Amino acid sequence: MIGTDSYFLDIAISKAWEYQLLTYPNPAVGVVITIDGKLLSVEAHQKAGTSHAEVLAFLSAYESLSGEQISFDRFDAHKAHEFLLSLEAGFFSQTTLFVTLEPCSHIGKTPSCSSLILKLQPLRVVIAKLDPIDGHGGGAGMLEQQGIKVDIIESKEANDLLEPFMIWQNRAFVVFKLAQTLNGNVGGGYISSKESLTLVHRYREVCSSMLIGGNTVRIDRPTLDCRFLEANPKAPDVYIYSRQKEFDKSIPLFDVVNRSVHIVDNVDFLDKPSFVLIEGTGSLLDSLHSYVDWLLNFVAPKFSNHSLSYNVEMDLEFLKCRTVDGKDILIWSRNSGQ
């Protein structure tokens, strides 16, 4: 059974990685629900304030088992809980949940997942990682006390998935985003696909702030907004890392509504719990690499003869790799040389 458990947990973890950091300030969480060893649903938490992964997975499992589609917004956590609690007793009694993080026991912007699971009474719950935050844990104990079988795996992969959430409890979690061709070159306009660019704008939408180098601002004259998203949400505040304080204020990033722009020659603001996204050149990465937790690398399926590249020495640990809509390769890496 352990081998089967690990298989389904791997699926849940991979699903959660699709939304890594997009759930800020919540952790990325994935859930798989099975029945008689067959897959019913694979879901992940997608955005803070909306239905958690467990809720989305139960809704998808309901659709698979009943053959009916729900008619309400599945991301409305309160409506979703109300619907699931209205189902006949025992509807999920033969199912098993595989969840990357212990179901929450507290009530915040959304109802408690542990309380919901108690009411729905699945056969078993397999947890890859207990919640390490004081006041958030206890869900596994609640389930066991009410007769639900709980197995805890404590996997390294689930721990890696949770790392950003743990760091931004105490200080800034810092991600350096870069894009390059398959032969490692950068520059010369857009490198990434439209799908990758849109994903980057989703990270901009949720991050606390962005950090960019002064030379990039002067040369590239960027906007650094979220214009590729349909709703065009508020653009992030920007920190410009530069010893020279004078900038041409006609550069587009200075003209974005409801944005604060700070020109700094230190990074003391990284002491504050937050999620900070850095976009910049190799020289900026070289200057700030000791502050970078993870790298987010988009690799385009093309070669380029452009002379620029990231000529930086860093030791990295690969964490996760996937394609973005079958086009660019997205690689998450940990800075192992901090």
Side-chain angles (χ1 to χ4, degrees):
M1 184 64 72
I2 293 298
T4 303
D5 288 352
S6 297
Y7 171 76
F8 287 122
L9 281 175
D10 284 345
I11 295 174
I13 290 169
S14 291
K15 187 65 177 179
W17 272 103
E18 294 180 20
Y19 299 93
Q20 180 63 277
L21 303 186
L22 297 175
T23 59
Y24 177 79
N26 290 355
V29 178
V31 174
V32 162
I33 295 182
T34 66
I35 188 167
D36 297 327
K38 298 178 181 178
L39 198 65
L40 276 181
S41 62
V42 183
E43 296 289 348
H45 184 40
Q46 297 187 26
K47 188 174 183 178
T50 67
S51 297
H52 286 186
E54 296 91 331
V55 176
L56 294 174
F58 273 124
L59 292 175
S60 293
Y62 164 79
E63 292 177 328
S64 297
L65 291 170
S66 68
E68 299 178 0
Q69 299 293 307
I70 63 172
S71 59
F72 58 89
D73 179 5
R74 68 184 63 232
F75 296 104
D76 185 324
H78 294 280
K79 287 184 178 179
H81 277 249
E82 183 179 352
F83 171 79
L84 290 168
L85 292 173
S86 72
L87 298 176
E88 61 181 295
F91 188 90
F92 294 106
S93 62
Q94 298 305 305
T95 62
T96 297
L97 266 73
F98 298 86
V99 59
T100 62
L101 180 65
E102 180 181 16
C104 61
S105 59
H106 66 290
I107 298 175
K109 291 183 179 180
T110 60
S112 161
C113 289
S114 293
S115 297
L116 176 67
I117 295 170
L118 281 176
K119 296 289 181 63
L120 299 183
Q121 286 287 306
L123 193 65
R124 190 165 72 106
V125 177
V126 182
I127 299 170
K129 174 72 179 175
L130 291 176
D131 196 320
I133 302 297
D134 290 341
H136 287 202
M142 288 174 57
L143 300 179
E144 287 182 310
Q145 289 173 8
Q146 296 300 316
I148 297 176
K149 180 172 174 53
V150 175
D151 291 305
I152 301 168
I153 305 297
E154 286 288 345
S155 77
K156 176 188 181 299
E157 291 76 14
N159 196 60
D160 290 339
L161 184 68
L162 192 63
E163 184 176 300
F165 178 70
M166 295 303 300
I167 289 176
W168 68 50
Q169 302 302 309
N170 301 300
R171 61 164 175 83
F173 179 77
V174 181
V175 174
F176 195 104
K177 172 256 153 185
L178 55 104
Q180 56 190 147
T181 62
L182 199 57
N183 61 332
N185 291 341
V186 301
Y190 287 136
I191 294 173
S192 303
S193 67
K194 181 65 177 294
E195 291 79 5
S196 293
L197 292 170
T198 300
L199 179 56
V200 170
H201 283 216
R202 292 177 66 193
Y203 293 123
R204 291 180 182 178
E205 177 190 9
V206 300
C207 73
S208 306
S209 60
M210 291 184 64
L211 174 60
I212 188 168
N215 285 339
T216 298
V217 173
R218 294 184 179 92
I219 296 170
D220 293 348
R221 301 178 65 86
T223 305
L224 301 180
D225 61 4
C226 306
R227 62 189 179 279
F228 289 170
L229 304 183
E230 291 184 7
N232 195 14
K234 178 185 178 299
D237 293 339
V238 173
Y239 286 86
I240 301 174
Y241 186 67
S242 174
R243 290 185 175 85
Q244 298 180 33
K245 305 302 181 183
E246 297 301 319
F247 285 86
D248 177 0
K249 295 304 173 64
S250 70
I251 294 172
L253 74 84
F254 289 101
D255 199 34
V256 175
V257 177
N258 296 324
R259 158 183 281 168
S260 297
V261 178
H262 311 272
I263 302 170
V264 299
D265 56 11
N266 63 71
V267 289
D268 291 347
F269 66 95
L270 296 180
D271 293 336
K272 180 181 178 180
S274 55
F275 161 31
V276 175
L277 179 65
I278 304 179
E279 295 188 28
T281 62
S283 60
L284 185 65
L285 179 57
D286 192 36
S287 297
L288 300 177
H289 72 271
S290 62
Y291 297 97
V292 173
D293 295 296
W294 285 6
L295 278 78
L296 174 57
N297 191 355
F298 291 87
V299 182
K302 62 179 74 171
F303 286 102
S304 167
N305 60 7
H306 202 283
S307 60
L308 288 179
S309 64
Y310 283 90
N311 294 316
V312 181
E313 290 192 12
M314 290 182 68
D315 291 323
L316 305 175
E317 176 187 354
F318 288 147
L319 296 172
K320 191 66 178 177
C321 175
R322 68 178 180 91
T323 59
V324 180
D325 292 331
K327 298 181 180 179
D328 299 336
I329 298 173
L330 185 160
I331 304 171
W332 291 101
S333 303
R334 177 189 289 125
N335 180 7
S336 59
Q338 280 182 311

